[in-house]
Amino acid sequence: MDDETESLALAIGHRVREQRQAREWTLDRLAAEAGVSRRMIVNVEQGAVNPSVGTLLRLSDALGVRLPALVHTRGAASDLVEVTRRGEGAVLWTGEHGGRGVLVAGIESPDVVELWDWTLEAGERHASEAHSTGTRELLHVIDGEVVIEVAGVAHGLAAGDALTFAADVDHAYANRSSSTARFSLAVFELGVGSSHRTAGS
């Protein structure tokens, strides 16, 4: 891991441990609630791994907190405004050719909205597991061409095109062209963690 990635991994680990301990949960309890291994929880809390977006989503839902609360170093904020400056977003995915998925902003749970800035280099693809029931995504292509796969059906988009889709099924973003593609992505998820809060969190 480079310094930026290591710093983010340590910050995520601290926040996950803090949230788990606030609920007086054991490592085994969080592992069971999130559907990930105990070893993964240990590695995340120690900052020893750069967890996947899927793992982070499972942890945030199990803990009943929004994903940005686990990954963001807060920028300037007040009761009305929270600012994330250029370069302050959390890089949560890096492609094999240098593409990046950056979480740049989000609003509080239980109804979560996340704003992402994605870059896919030629030939890169990011697959996502189905999110919780009712989750929707809105995507707008800024540069290049992107193929969005939703439940096995591919939808080709060019610069200026937009797509809204149900994200509670398996989906993926791919760049099948020979040039860089960039898109903005908003994720809307209802009731994050609500099923776990009633179980004692």
Side-chain angles (χ1 to χ4, degrees), residues 29-82:
R29 169 77 184 272
L30 178 54
E33 294 285 348
V36 300
S37 71
R38 184 181 189 278
R39 170 52 49 194
M40 175 57 74
I41 302 294
V42 170
N43 287 338
V44 168
E45 290 194 359
Q46 291 177 346
V49 295
N50 183 20
S52 70
V53 176
T55 297
L56 288 172
L57 287 170
R58 289 181 183 191
L59 290 172
S60 66
D61 188 52
L63 292 166
V65 299
R66 63 188 182 121
L67 180 57
L70 291 183
V71 303
H72 267 173
T73 300
R74 288 195 178 269
S78 71
D79 290 341
L80 298 177
V81 175
E82 181 176 332

Side-chain angles (χ1 to χ4, degrees), residues 40-200:
M40 175 57 74
I41 302 294
V42 170
N43 287 338
V44 168
E45 290 194 359
Q46 291 177 346
V49 295
N50 183 20
S52 70
V53 176
T55 297
L56 288 172
L57 287 170
R58 289 181 183 191
L59 290 172
S60 66
D61 188 52
L63 292 166
V65 299
R66 63 188 182 121
L67 180 57
L70 291 183
V71 303
H72 267 173
T73 300
R74 288 195 178 269
S78 71
D79 290 341
L80 298 177
V81 175
E82 181 176 332
V83 177
T84 303
R85 298 292 181 193
R86 181 174 180 171
E88 292 179 344
V91 180
L92 298 182
W93 177 83
T94 303
E96 58 184 323
H97 303 301
R100 291 162 38 116
V102 183
L103 180 59
V104 295
I107 63 169
E108 296 291 342
S109 55
D111 298 334
V112 169
V113 179
E114 299 165 3
L115 182 62
W116 292 76
D117 181 10
W118 279 86
T119 302
L120 293 177
E121 297 297 340
E124 289 184 331
R125 180 179 183 272
H126 172 70
S128 177
E129 297 176 0
H131 300 315
S132 61
T133 301
T135 300
R136 305 284 293 178
E137 294 191 8
L138 297 84
L139 183 148
H140 179 237
V141 180
I142 299 167
D143 293 307
E145 300 175 358
V146 181
V147 175
I148 310 303
E149 304 164 18
V150 182
V153 179
H155 306 270
L157 303 175
D161 292 344
L163 178 72
T164 302
F165 63 95
D168 51 7
V169 295
D170 290 345
H171 53 283
Y173 326 108
N175 181 356
R176 299 178 184 173
S177 74
S178 58
S179 58
T180 301
R182 185 171 173 226
F183 60 93
S184 182
L185 178 73
V187 181
F188 178 63
E189 187 175 8
L190 289 168
V192 170
S194 57
S195 61
H196 299 287
R197 282 193 215 96
T198 59

